[in-house]
mmCIF file of all heavy atoms in Angstrom:
data_model
loop_
_atom_site.group_PDB
_atom_site.id
_atom_site.type_symbol
_atom_site.label_atom_id
_atom_site.label_comp_id
_atom_site.label_asym_id
_atom_site.label_seq_id
_atom_site.Cartn_x
_atom_site.Cartn_y
_atom_site.Cartn_z
ATOM 1 N N GLY A 1 -10.038 72.639 36.261
ATOM 2 C CA GLY A 1 -11.294 71.912 36.327
ATOM 3 C C GLY A 1 -12.531 72.766 36.458
ATOM 4 O O GLY A 1 -13.652 72.240 36.575
ATOM 5 N N VAL A 2 -12.373 74.084 36.426
ATOM 6 C CA VAL A 2 -13.498 75.002 36.574
ATOM 7 C C VAL A 2 -13.797 75.657 35.229
ATOM 8 O O VAL A 2 -12.879 76.123 34.540
ATOM 9 C CB VAL A 2 -13.205 76.091 37.630
ATOM 10 C CG1 VAL A 2 -14.382 77.058 37.748
ATOM 11 C CG2 VAL A 2 -12.892 75.454 38.976
ATOM 12 N N ASP A 3 -15.074 75.680 34.858
ATOM 13 C CA ASP A 3 -15.493 76.340 33.623
ATOM 14 C C ASP A 3 -15.649 77.836 33.869
ATOM 15 O O ASP A 3 -16.266 78.249 34.858
ATOM 16 C CB ASP A 3 -16.813 75.755 33.135
ATOM 17 C CG ASP A 3 -16.683 74.283 32.774
ATOM 18 O OD1 ASP A 3 -15.984 73.983 31.791
ATOM 19 O OD2 ASP A 3 -17.263 73.438 33.493
ATOM 20 N N LEU A 4 -15.076 78.643 32.972
ATOM 21 C CA LEU A 4 -15.060 80.100 33.129
ATOM 22 C C LEU A 4 -15.771 80.771 31.957
ATOM 23 O O LEU A 4 -15.487 80.469 30.796
ATOM 24 C CB LEU A 4 -13.614 80.607 33.204
ATOM 25 C CG LEU A 4 -12.693 79.919 34.225
ATOM 26 C CD1 LEU A 4 -11.278 80.435 34.076
ATOM 27 C CD2 LEU A 4 -13.202 80.127 35.640
ATOM 28 N N GLU A 5 -16.695 81.674 32.281
ATOM 29 C CA GLU A 5 -17.390 82.459 31.257
ATOM 30 C C GLU A 5 -17.094 83.936 31.511
ATOM 31 O O GLU A 5 -17.651 84.544 32.428
ATOM 32 C CB GLU A 5 -18.896 82.191 31.305
ATOM 33 C CG GLU A 5 -19.271 80.753 30.974
ATOM 34 C CD GLU A 5 -20.772 80.523 30.994
ATOM 35 O OE1 GLU A 5 -21.521 81.454 30.604
ATOM 36 O OE2 GLU A 5 -21.203 79.441 31.426
ATOM 37 N N TRP A 6 -16.204 84.494 30.682
ATOM 38 C CA TRP A 6 -15.773 85.879 30.845
ATOM 39 C C TRP A 6 -16.687 86.811 30.049
ATOM 40 O O TRP A 6 -17.034 86.528 28.905
ATOM 41 C CB TRP A 6 -14.340 86.059 30.364
ATOM 42 C CG TRP A 6 -13.338 85.208 31.082
ATOM 43 C CD1 TRP A 6 -12.907 83.956 30.724
ATOM 44 C CD2 TRP A 6 -12.633 85.547 32.276
ATOM 45 N NE1 TRP A 6 -11.980 83.500 31.616
ATOM 46 C CE2 TRP A 6 -11.782 84.447 32.585
ATOM 47 C CE3 TRP A 6 -12.623 86.659 33.117
ATOM 48 C CZ2 TRP A 6 -10.939 84.447 33.682
ATOM 49 C CZ3 TRP A 6 -11.788 86.656 34.215
ATOM 50 C CH2 TRP A 6 -10.957 85.571 34.500
ATOM 51 N N ASN A 7 -17.040 87.930 30.656
ATOM 52 C CA ASN A 7 -17.766 88.990 29.949
ATOM 53 C C ASN A 7 -16.884 90.231 29.987
ATOM 54 O O ASN A 7 -16.818 90.940 30.995
ATOM 55 C CB ASN A 7 -19.113 89.269 30.620
ATOM 56 C CG ASN A 7 -19.973 90.228 29.809
ATOM 57 O OD1 ASN A 7 -19.493 91.240 29.303
ATOM 58 N ND2 ASN A 7 -21.258 89.920 29.687
ATOM 59 N N GLY A 8 -16.182 90.451 28.866
ATOM 60 C CA GLY A 8 -15.233 91.546 28.825
ATOM 61 C C GLY A 8 -15.875 92.915 28.910
ATOM 62 O O GLY A 8 -15.276 93.859 29.452
ATOM 63 N N ASN A 9 -17.078 93.060 28.397
ATOM 64 C CA ASN A 9 -17.752 94.361 28.419
ATOM 65 C C ASN A 9 -18.206 94.746 29.819
ATOM 66 O O ASN A 9 -18.020 95.886 30.266
ATOM 67 C CB ASN A 9 -18.949 94.343 27.466
ATOM 68 C CG ASN A 9 -18.533 94.189 26.011
ATOM 69 O OD1 ASN A 9 -17.484 94.687 25.609
ATOM 70 N ND2 ASN A 9 -19.344 93.491 25.225
ATOM 71 N N ASN A 10 -18.804 93.794 30.514
ATOM 72 C CA ASN A 10 -19.295 94.069 31.873
ATOM 73 C C ASN A 10 -18.260 93.791 32.949
ATOM 74 O O ASN A 10 -18.510 94.069 34.129
ATOM 75 C CB ASN A 10 -20.558 93.244 32.143
ATOM 76 C CG ASN A 10 -21.710 93.603 31.223
ATOM 77 O OD1 ASN A 10 -21.821 94.746 30.798
ATOM 78 N ND2 ASN A 10 -22.559 92.631 30.912
ATOM 79 N N ARG A 11 -17.125 93.239 32.521
ATOM 80 C CA ARG A 11 -16.054 92.880 33.457
ATOM 81 C C ARG A 11 -16.588 91.962 34.548
ATOM 82 O O ARG A 11 -16.436 92.191 35.748
ATOM 83 C CB ARG A 11 -15.413 94.125 34.086
ATOM 84 C CG ARG A 11 -14.958 95.183 33.099
ATOM 85 C CD ARG A 11 -14.056 94.630 32.021
ATOM 86 N NE ARG A 11 -12.765 94.144 32.549
ATOM 87 C CZ ARG A 11 -11.888 93.455 31.825
ATOM 88 N NH1 ARG A 11 -12.168 93.110 30.577
ATOM 89 N NH2 ARG A 11 -10.758 93.065 32.356
ATOM 90 N N THR A 12 -17.219 90.879 34.120
ATOM 91 C CA THR A 12 -17.746 89.890 35.060
ATOM 92 C C THR A 12 -17.249 88.500 34.663
ATOM 93 O O THR A 12 -16.837 88.259 33.522
ATOM 94 C CB THR A 12 -19.283 89.889 35.087
ATOM 95 O OG1 THR A 12 -19.774 89.586 33.768
ATOM 96 C CG2 THR A 12 -19.819 91.239 35.543
ATOM 97 N N LEU A 13 -17.315 87.594 35.617
ATOM 98 C CA LEU A 13 -16.894 86.211 35.384
ATOM 99 C C LEU A 13 -17.888 85.280 36.053
ATOM 100 O O LEU A 13 -18.209 85.446 37.238
ATOM 101 C CB LEU A 13 -15.489 85.963 35.948
ATOM 102 C CG LEU A 13 -15.031 84.502 36.007
ATOM 103 C CD1 LEU A 13 -14.905 83.914 34.604
ATOM 104 C CD2 LEU A 13 -13.703 84.385 36.765
ATOM 105 N N LYS A 14 -18.363 84.304 35.306
ATOM 106 C CA LYS A 14 -19.246 83.277 35.847
ATOM 107 C C LYS A 14 -18.481 81.967 35.893
ATOM 108 O O LYS A 14 -17.946 81.503 34.884
ATOM 109 C CB LYS A 14 -20.492 83.131 34.970
ATOM 110 C CG LYS A 14 -21.462 82.064 35.463
ATOM 111 C CD LYS A 14 -22.669 81.965 34.540
ATOM 112 C CE LYS A 14 -23.619 80.867 35.011
ATOM 113 N NZ LYS A 14 -24.790 80.748 34.096
ATOM 114 N N THR A 15 -18.424 81.370 37.070
ATOM 115 C CA THR A 15 -17.711 80.106 37.225
ATOM 116 C C THR A 15 -18.708 78.983 37.468
ATOM 117 O O THR A 15 -19.740 79.175 38.112
ATOM 118 C CB THR A 15 -16.716 80.172 38.399
ATOM 119 O OG1 THR A 15 -17.436 80.393 39.619
ATOM 120 C CG2 THR A 15 -15.717 81.287 38.198
ATOM 121 N N SER A 16 -18.381 77.805 36.975
ATOM 122 C CA SER A 16 -19.238 76.642 37.159
ATOM 123 C C SER A 16 -18.416 75.382 36.913
ATOM 124 O O SER A 16 -17.256 75.449 36.497
ATOM 125 C CB SER A 16 -20.437 76.689 36.202
ATOM 126 O OG SER A 16 -19.988 76.658 34.849
ATOM 127 N N MET A 17 -19.024 74.245 37.187
ATOM 128 C CA MET A 17 -18.408 72.956 36.871
ATOM 129 C C MET A 17 -19.452 72.153 36.100
ATOM 130 O O MET A 17 -20.211 71.369 36.673
ATOM 131 C CB MET A 17 -17.962 72.242 38.145
ATOM 132 C CG MET A 17 -16.898 73.001 38.916
ATOM 133 S SD MET A 17 -16.276 72.138 40.372
ATOM 134 C CE MET A 17 -15.320 70.833 39.608
ATOM 135 N N LYS A 18 -19.487 72.394 34.807
ATOM 136 C CA LYS A 18 -20.507 71.790 33.952
ATOM 137 C C LYS A 18 -20.382 70.268 33.938
ATOM 138 O O LYS A 18 -19.275 69.724 33.901
ATOM 139 C CB LYS A 18 -20.387 72.335 32.532
ATOM 140 C CG LYS A 18 -20.598 73.842 32.432
ATOM 141 C CD LYS A 18 -20.388 74.336 31.023
ATOM 142 C CE LYS A 18 -20.589 75.850 30.939
ATOM 143 N NZ LYS A 18 -20.325 76.369 29.573
ATOM 144 N N ASN A 19 -21.523 69.621 33.947
ATOM 145 C CA ASN A 19 -21.598 68.164 33.877
ATOM 146 C C ASN A 19 -20.887 67.475 35.032
ATOM 147 O O ASN A 19 -20.529 66.304 34.947
ATOM 148 C CB ASN A 19 -21.008 67.645 32.547
ATOM 149 C CG ASN A 19 -21.696 68.244 31.336
ATOM 150 O OD1 ASN A 19 -22.908 68.399 31.320
ATOM 151 N ND2 ASN A 19 -20.906 68.614 30.338
ATOM 152 N N CYS A 20 -20.672 68.216 36.114
ATOM 153 C CA CYS A 20 -19.976 67.632 37.259
ATOM 154 C C CYS A 20 -20.774 66.464 37.849
ATOM 155 O O CYS A 20 -20.205 65.428 38.193
ATOM 156 C CB CYS A 20 -19.758 68.708 38.327
ATOM 157 S SG CYS A 20 -18.927 68.107 39.813
ATOM 158 N N ILE A 21 -22.096 66.616 37.951
ATOM 159 C CA ILE A 21 -22.929 65.561 38.515
ATOM 160 C C ILE A 21 -22.913 64.321 37.636
ATOM 161 O O ILE A 21 -22.805 63.194 38.112
ATOM 162 C CB ILE A 21 -24.378 66.048 38.708
ATOM 163 C CG1 ILE A 21 -24.413 67.268 39.637
ATOM 164 C CG2 ILE A 21 -25.251 64.932 39.271
ATOM 165 C CD1 ILE A 21 -23.867 66.999 41.022
ATOM 166 N N GLU A 22 -22.984 64.532 36.292
ATOM 167 C CA GLU A 22 -22.994 63.404 35.382
ATOM 168 C C GLU A 22 -21.686 62.622 35.435
ATOM 169 O O GLU A 22 -21.665 61.408 35.267
ATOM 170 C CB GLU A 22 -23.238 63.887 33.944
ATOM 171 C CG GLU A 22 -24.665 64.360 33.677
ATOM 172 C CD GLU A 22 -24.895 65.796 34.137
ATOM 173 O OE1 GLU A 22 -24.007 66.341 34.809
ATOM 174 O OE2 GLU A 22 -25.961 66.350 33.826
ATOM 175 N N ARG A 23 -20.567 63.341 35.681
ATOM 176 C CA ARG A 23 -19.270 62.677 35.702
ATOM 177 C C ARG A 23 -18.977 62.006 37.030
ATOM 178 O O ARG A 23 -18.078 61.166 37.112
ATOM 179 C CB ARG A 23 -18.154 63.697 35.405
ATOM 180 C CG ARG A 23 -18.195 64.274 34.000
ATOM 181 C CD ARG A 23 -16.843 64.899 33.660
ATOM 182 N NE ARG A 23 -16.464 65.900 34.632
ATOM 183 C CZ ARG A 23 -16.695 67.201 34.486
ATOM 184 N NH1 ARG A 23 -17.340 67.639 33.425
ATOM 185 N NH2 ARG A 23 -16.290 68.054 35.398
ATOM 186 N N ALA A 24 -19.701 62.371 38.064
ATOM 187 C CA ALA A 24 -19.423 61.847 39.401
ATOM 188 C C ALA A 24 -19.747 60.349 39.443
ATOM 189 O O ALA A 24 -20.753 59.905 38.890
ATOM 190 C CB ALA A 24 -20.249 62.585 40.445
ATOM 191 N N PRO A 25 -18.891 59.533 40.113
ATOM 192 C CA PRO A 25 -19.169 58.093 40.208
ATOM 193 C C PRO A 25 -20.400 57.838 41.060
ATOM 194 O O PRO A 25 -20.639 58.497 42.055
ATOM 195 C CB PRO A 25 -17.896 57.552 40.880
ATOM 196 C CG PRO A 25 -17.324 58.721 41.619
ATOM 197 C CD PRO A 25 -17.657 59.930 40.794
ATOM 198 N N MET A 26 -21.200 56.887 40.626
ATOM 199 C CA MET A 26 -22.423 56.549 41.343
ATOM 200 C C MET A 26 -22.159 55.398 42.325
ATOM 201 O O MET A 26 -21.345 54.555 42.093
ATOM 202 C CB MET A 26 -23.515 56.150 40.352
ATOM 203 C CG MET A 26 -23.824 57.233 39.313
ATOM 204 S SD MET A 26 -24.399 58.784 40.081
ATOM 205 C CE MET A 26 -26.016 58.237 40.637
#
């Protein structure tokens, strides 16, 4: 359930949960 953005050159990883707020029940 976690979105992963890998940067192989810099050896970094950005994690997020895209559209999590929009999907959350109101």
